[in-house]
Amino acid sequence: MKRILLASIILFLTQQSFGQGCVAVRHFGTCSANLSHNTFGKGDIQAGINYRYFKSFRHFRGTHEEPDRVTSGTEVINHSNNWEYSVSYWLSGKTNLAIGIPTQINARSSLYEHGRTERHQSFSRGLGDIRFGIQQWLLEPGLKSWNIQVGSSLKLPTGNYNASDIFYNVGVNGSPEVRPVDQSIQLGDGGLGLIVETQMYLKLNEKFYLTTGAFYLANPRETNGTRTFREKLNVLLKNEAITSVPDQFSSRIAMNYSPNAISNISIGGRYEGVPVHDLIGGSAGFRRPGNIVSLEPVYSYMKNNLTLNFGLPIAVRRNRPQSYTDLEYSRTTGVFRNGDAAFADYAINLGIQYTFKAKQKTKTAPQFVIPQN
């Protein structure tokens, strides 16, 4: 029973429940397998579906909110719906392979993209960027009061990064024109990326555990060739005519409480976002850098081979720092500039996973596997 409780507490350790809005943080996990309170052994397979929704509409420059955008009706509104289908396969009790396949339906409503005279919507829908990778526990799971997992994954450019729709009042004599949708609702970023991750758990007593996790996606490609038309909005934005392929990151620390063998309650803090400069390669082109600190309550239910979970990350601090273009303009002109971005107040995350057990010749120890969402 103690080992089952220990397994339950790390259900949401590294869920990537991104809710940035206009900051183009992609929704995907670390390709880690979803946890149930089962024992895991060689040949076990776990399949899952995770859903995320958010609405972004609050505009920030730096950490300062611009509430007049909402009161004046000029705010940009994004509705994001994401489904991710994941499958994990255990090579051994300590090692697993996993793949995540995201799909999306996004809608974006704005004035400025449609000639600043009428509010219209643009849409994107389809396959996102697929990830696959491997994770490894350093110690035998379940046999220690602490453990560390490390992993790496590849992010493939399978999502359409040039999704287009009709934009109004922007063509010749105010006619409609087909253009790429905003970066925030593009289905992919066009880059072949490398994901590195680490996570750990620490047992405090029989019911309380501390969990932490960190994640970084490095995208070496600088730009993907998708035109933004931002140079037509403002001559200052000529450096943002082509879309950037940005890195992204996430980290989380949480306290977990397991009242029984089938339930876990987690309260955590999450810090995530898109950096101004990439770790590898150039950082030019159009990106909205930003980061968000969220308070994240999570509840999970586990019985037999089935796992259900619900998370609600709530934003407590949002920041849109100076972008690459902002910094360059401020340096060359001596005039400070900081663009804005719209953020969500919260995100809704739902997940369901099921484990298909392989026939084991010998008994295996309980395994503790980090989730994907």
Side-chain angles (χ1 to χ4, degrees):
M1 180 63 69
K2 292 180 180 179
R3 289 179 176 178
I4 293 175
L5 291 176
L6 180 59
S8 71
I9 57 92
I10 52 178
L11 177 60
F12 277 86
L13 176 57
T14 54
Q15 281 189 303
Q16 306 307 315
S17 53
F18 300 119
Q20 290 283 357
C22 284
V23 178
V25 181
R26 306 296 168 188
H27 169 68
F28 58 86
T30 57
C31 284
S32 300
N34 292 291
L35 176 73
S36 76
H37 68 289
N38 290 281
T39 58
F40 289 91
K42 181 179 179 180
D44 286 353
I45 297 174
Q46 191 172 56
I49 302 175
N50 295 282
Y51 170 74
R52 180 198 65 165
Y53 167 80
F54 72 78
K55 172 189 174 182
S56 65
F57 66 100
R58 297 193 187 277
H59 286 255
F60 285 79
R61 293 182 192 270
T63 58
H64 173 70
E65 184 180 357
E66 298 183 320
D68 60 294
R69 294 292 299 273
V70 176
T71 57
S72 66
T74 62
E75 80 278 20
V76 177
I77 304 171
N78 279 11
H79 291 275
S80 177
N81 296 272
N82 296 266
W83 295 262
E84 181 157 78
Y85 306 89
S86 61
V87 178
S88 299
Y89 175 79
W90 271 263
L91 300 176
S92 70
K94 293 170 64 176
T95 308
N96 73 282
L97 300 173
I99 184 170
I101 304 174
T103 60
Q104 306 170 43
I105 299 177
N106 303 305
R108 178 179 174 86
S109 170
S110 70
L111 282 166
Y112 85 90
E113 293 173 306
H114 301 277
R116 302 185 187 275
T117 57
E118 297 177 313
R119 178 177 288 275
H120 290 280
Q121 287 189 317
S122 53
F123 298 89
S124 64
R125 59 184 65 84
L127 178 69
D129 286 346
I130 295 174
R131 284 77 52 190
F132 68 91
I134 184 169
Q135 283 73 40
Q136 173 74 43
W137 286 104
L138 299 185
L139 305 175
E140 189 67 33
L143 303 182
K144 300 291 183 180
S145 61
W146 65 275
N147 206 345
I148 298 175
Q149 188 191 59
V150 295
S152 63
S153 308
L154 282 178
K155 182 195 69 66
L156 305 178
T158 52
N160 185 3
Y161 52 92
N162 193 33
S164 301
D165 204 345
I166 298 174
F167 289 80
Y168 297 88
N169 308 307
V170 297
V172 178
N173 298 321
S175 62
E177 189 171 287
V178 175
R179 292 182 175 182
V181 298
D182 186 79
Q183 184 187 34
S184 62
I185 64 169
Q186 286 291 345
L187 303 174
D189 59 28
L192 177 63
L194 174 65
I195 298 169
V196 292
E197 59 178 305
T198 183
Q199 44 258 336
M200 63 88 67
Y201 65 81
L202 174 65
K203 177 181 176 181
L204 302 178
N205 57 43
E206 295 304 313
K207 292 184 179 292
F208 288 90
Y209 297 82
L210 180 69
T211 55
T212 64
F215 157 101
Y216 195 91
L217 163 64
N219 264 320
R221 187 178 183 181
E222 186 170 25
T223 58
N224 61 21
T226 298
R227 190 175 177 189
T228 67
F229 289 89
R230 290 179 63 80
E231 76 282 3
K232 289 194 172 185
L233 297 173
N234 191 323
V235 68
L236 301 178
L237 303 179
K238 62 181 181 179
N239 293 334
E240 298 185 349
I242 304 299
T243 302
S244 177
V245 184
D247 291 358
Q248 68 184 61
F249 62 87
S250 177
S251 61
R252 185 177 190 266
I253 184 169
M255 182 64 69
N256 300 263
Y257 172 64
S258 295
N260 51 55
I262 62 173
S263 298
N264 179 68
I265 300 169
S266 170
I267 300 294
R270 182 183 293 277
Y271 176 62
E272 60 197 359
V274 169
V276 177
H277 299 286
D278 288 348
L279 186 65
I280 304 172
S283 306
F286 170 59
R287 74 174 68 186
R288 292 188 189 93
N291 54 77
I292 184 170
V293 177
S294 302
L295 178 66
E296 185 178 28
V298 172
Y299 174 75
S300 59
Y301 172 83
M302 296 152 286
K303 188 172 183 180
N304 298 326
N305 293 341
L306 182 67
T307 302
L308 305 174
N309 48 63
F310 171 74
L312 188 71
I314 301 168
V316 295
R317 180 183 181 274
R318 285 154 283 194
N319 179 29
R320 201 297 203 178
Q322 287 182 285
S323 67
Y324 183 93
T325 299
D326 293 335
L327 292 170
E328 185 68 16
Y329 178 81
S330 299
R331 183 185 64 83
T332 57
T333 67
V335 178
F336 179 82
R337 183 181 187 276
N338 197 149
D340 72 312
F343 292 81
D345 284 339
Y346 62 88
I348 296 173
N349 296 285
L350 302 171
I352 181 171
Q353 300 85 35
Y354 189 84
T355 302
F356 300 89
K357 305 294 292 182
K359 292 183 179 180
Q360 301 293 326
K361 295 182 180 180
T362 59
K363 186 177 180 180
T364 59
Q367 307 299 299
F368 309 100
V369 185
I370 306 302
Q372 177 184 354
N373 189 18

